[in-house]
Amino acid sequence: MVDIVLGSKQTDQSIEGQFRECRAYAERMGYTIVGEYKDEHLTGTSDNRADFQRMIEDSNKKTFEAVLVYQLDRFSRNRYDSAIYKRKLKKNGVRVLSARENISDDASGVLMEAVLEGMAEYYSVELGQKVERGMKINASKCLYIGGYITLGFKIVDKKYTIDEQTSPITLNAYKMYDNDHTIEEVREYVNNQLKIIDKRNKKGELVQYSKGAIRNLLADKRCMGTYIYKDTETPNAIPQIVDVNLFNRVQERLEKNKQSPSRLKTTNDYILTTKLFCGHCKDMMVGICGTSRTGKRHAYYSCNKSRKKLCDKKNVKKEDIEDIVVKEARNILTDENINKIAETVVKLAEQEKDTSTLKRLQNLLNQNEKQKANLFDSLKVCDIDSVRKSIFEEMVKVDAEHSDIESQIQVESSKKINLDETQVIYFLTKMRSGDINDIKYRKMLITVLINKIYLYDGHAIIFFNTQDKEYKVKVPTIEEAEVRTNDTSAHQRRICSNFL
Ligand SMILES: [Zn+2]
C-alpha cells in the first residue's frame, strides 16, 4: 500500500496535476492508495505544514508502507529536514518514492541529503561525541599510551613511528594475503622474517605469530594510519604502512573467508529498491522471489513492465547486482573523493542554514517585551480599578505568550545542525571500512552514495550521488525460464507486501 503526499514549493505542475501523475504511477506499479495529503500554501517550515506533519504522525500507525511524492524535492523544504523526516519514516518502515524519475538538477543537494541521512541514521547521537573525542585526542597528537605495539611500528618520544626493520614484513603480509595466499602461508613468512631479524619480546623470547595473531595484524587499522584509543578511531593520525585500498581489499577477503555461507540470510531485503531501473524501458525494477526448475528459491530484481510482458528485460539475481553495486560504492570512497564530498556537503549545509524562522521568533519576542513594558507603564499611571484589572489580565496573557515564544525558539535552535568537514570526513572514512556482508552497512553505502542504476542485459550503468562519473559494470544475466511465472495479480500482491 502506498500513501500519497505532495508538498512544498511552487512548481511547473498544479497540485491537481501532481496528484494525477502520482495516481497514474501508483496504478502502474500496482500500489493501493490509502490516503492523500496536500499542503497548498507553503510558506513556513516543514514543521508548520499541517498535512505533512499529519502524514509523519500517521506513519506511526503503520497503515502504509510508502509515501509517494511527485518529485523528491517536493518532499521537504530543505535537505536537512528531508533527511530527518525520511529517517523518521524509515523507522516506521515507510519508504519515500517519487512519481517522477529520481533526477535532480541540484546534484550537490542530493549528495548532501544522502550524507546527512546516512549520518543521522547510522551514527546518530554518537557522531558528534565521537568526533569530539577524536578531535581531543588529535589535539594531544595521538600519542602512544601503552599496550601492544602493532608490528611495523616503533615508539619514539611516545609517537608512533615507522619501524624500518619490521614495517616491510607487515606490508608484505598484507600483499601476500591480497594475492590469495592463505593465512598459514602468511604466518610462515612473518615468523621466518622475525627469526631473521631476531625480534624478541621483553622477556627475551623470540616473537612468533599464531594464525589468530596474523588475522589481527591483517585487520589492524593502525596499519593504514588510524589511531585507536578505546572505541575512538582517528583516521590518518599516525604513519601509514599499507594504503587504504590494500587494507580494504584485505578486509574484504578476511570477511569473505570468515562468513561466506551466511550470505543468503539477507535475501528478503531488497536494498536496491527505488534505485534500480530497467535500462530498456526506464521503469523501476523491483524485487521478486522465484523458483528455479530445480525447485530452489531465488531472489531477483525484475523490470516492472517485463512482468507484464511489456518489456524484454531479463531478471537479474539479487545478490549479483547488489554485490556489484555495494563494491563499486565502496571503491569510490577514495581520499580524494571523500575530501571533495565533505567540501561540497559542508558548503551546501552552510547555504541551507535557514535562520528565517528563528529571526521571526526573535522579532515576536521583542514585540512581546515592548508590549509588556507599555502595559506596565499604563498600569503605573492608571487609578481606575476596572481598567487596572483588564490591564493586569492583558499582562498575564502577554506573559504566557512570552514563554511560549521562548520555548519555540529553543526548539528551533536545537534543530540546527552544525556540520564541519572533519565530521563528514570522519563519517565517510569510517564508511570505507565496514563489514561488506553486514546488511546495515550495505544499505548505508547505497543510501549515501548511489543515485540510480540502469540495468541492461549484461551490464549496468551506475550513477553515484557524487555525480562526477558514470560507471559501466558487467552484470551476469540469468535465463527468464528459470523463474516460474505466476499470474500477475498474485505477483502484485506479493510485491506490495514484500518490497515496500
Ligand atoms: Zn523494462
Side-chain angles (χ1 to χ4, degrees), residues 80 108 111-120 123 127-128 130-132 135 233 235-236 333-350 417-432 444 448-449 466:
Y80 177 62
S108 46
L111 178 65
M112 183 184 98
E113 185 179 324
V115 170
L116 280 175
E117 200 186 328
M119 288 175 79
Y123 291 97
L127 180 80
K130 278 201 179 163
V131 169
E132 199 189 324
M135 302 280 282
E233 294 174 9
N236 306 320
L333 287 174
T334 58
D335 282 343
E336 194 194 342
N337 275 338
I338 285 178
N339 289 332
K340 220 170 71 191
I341 293 171
E343 201 184 306
T344 314
V345 166
V346 170
K347 213 166 94 193
L348 208 74
E350 283 302 314
I417 187 170
N418 287 308
L419 267 189
D420 66 39
E421 275 185 42
T422 324
Q423 274 176 309
V424 183
I425 290 171
Y426 178 84
F427 168 68
L428 293 172
T429 309
K430 208 171 153 90
M431 214 167 97
R432 185 158 63 182
M444 179 171 71
V448 175
L449 295 168
T466 48

Side-chain angles (χ1 to χ4, degrees), residues 174-442:
Y174 273 84
K175 283 182 179 166
M176 281 177 76
Y177 195 65
D178 185 41
N179 285 318
D180 289 338
H181 286 275
T182 63
I183 292 282
E184 180 55 35
E185 284 165 348
V186 176
R187 187 178 82 103
E188 260 173 48
Y189 163 79
V190 169
N191 284 344
N192 275 334
Q193 294 301 307
L194 292 174
K195 220 179 269 173
I196 291 167
I197 63 167
D198 198 37
K199 172 99 175 155
R200 289 178 184 276
N201 63 20
K202 277 178 195 157
K203 289 182 204 158
E205 300 156 348
L206 185 69
V207 176
Q208 292 285 278
Y209 275 55
S210 65
K211 272 164 92 171
I214 293 292
R215 276 199 195 90
N216 289 342
L217 177 66
L218 292 176
D220 193 330
K221 289 180 184 165
R222 291 180 187 90
C223 297
M224 61 162 174
T226 300
Y227 178 78
I228 299 171
Y229 171 72
K230 290 185 179 166
D231 59 344
T232 312
E233 294 174 9
T234 313
N236 306 320
I238 59 175
Q240 202 177 50
I241 297 171
V242 298
D243 71 58
V244 175
N245 289 333
L246 174 59
F247 186 85
N248 280 337
R249 284 200 304 275
V250 165
Q251 301 323 299
E252 256 170 55
R253 196 172 165 226
L254 281 173
E255 283 151 17
K256 210 166 109 193
N257 289 347
K258 197 170 64 190
Q259 50 177 330
S260 47
S262 65
R263 209 169 59 149
L264 279 173
K265 264 192 233 159
T266 61
T267 292
N268 288 319
D269 221 331
Y270 292 83
I271 57 178
L272 295 179
T273 307
T274 74
K275 305 233 175 184
L276 189 62
F277 295 89
C278 169
H280 297 185
C281 71
K282 310 288 185 267
D283 212 330
M284 198 182 274
M285 296 191 71
V286 290
I288 60 163
C289 274
T291 312
S292 71
R293 277 169 297 190
T294 57
K296 232 174 137 189
R297 280 179 75 74
H298 290 291
Y300 303 97
Y301 285 97
S302 172
C303 166
N304 247 320
K305 285 208 176 78
S306 82
R307 287 185 296 114
K308 296 166 196 159
K309 307 256 185 279
L310 296 170
C311 173
D312 62 352
K313 177 77 196 78
K314 288 174 178 157
N315 291 347
V316 64
K317 266 195 177 160
K318 174 184 181 295
E319 302 108 77
D320 288 348
I321 183 71
E322 286 183 358
D323 279 357
I324 288 165
V325 173
V326 162
K327 281 200 180 129
E328 290 296 328
R330 177 138 122 173
N331 284 344
I332 73 155
L333 287 174
T334 58
D335 282 343
E336 194 194 342
N337 275 338
I338 285 178
N339 289 332
K340 220 170 71 191
I341 293 171
E343 201 184 306
T344 314
V345 166
V346 170
K347 213 166 94 193
L348 208 74
E350 283 302 314
Q351 284 168 15
E352 283 217 351
K353 239 185 224 170
D354 184 1
T355 50
S356 59
T357 310
L358 258 180
K359 277 186 191 143
R360 186 174 57 83
L361 289 168
Q362 200 58 54
N363 277 339
L364 280 177
L365 197 71
N366 293 343
Q367 280 170 27
N368 175 287
E369 277 162 6
K370 260 183 216 153
Q371 210 181 344
K372 197 179 159 186
N374 290 341
L375 286 168
F376 195 67
D377 287 343
S378 336
L379 196 66
K380 277 194 292 193
V381 296
C382 176
D383 48 12
I384 305 162
D385 270 358
S386 62
V387 178
R388 281 179 71 91
K389 197 181 164 224
S390 67
I391 291 175
F392 197 73
E393 277 167 4
E394 189 63 21
M395 281 177 78
V396 171
K397 213 177 100 196
V398 169
D399 248 357
E401 272 168 19
H402 189 270
S403 53
D404 185 47
I405 299 166
E406 264 185 340
S407 64
Q408 276 188 58
I409 286 177
Q410 238 167 30
V411 170
E412 194 64 27
S413 332
S414 72
K415 277 196 315 208
K416 294 290 160 251
I417 187 170
N418 287 308
L419 267 189
D420 66 39
E421 275 185 42
T422 324
Q423 274 176 309
V424 183
I425 290 171
Y426 178 84
F427 168 68
L428 293 172
T429 309
K430 208 171 153 90
M431 214 167 97
R432 185 158 63 182
S433 53
D435 174 356
I436 202 94
N437 292 309
D438 174 12
I439 183 71
K440 205 173 141 189
Y441 175 64
R442 291 166 76 90

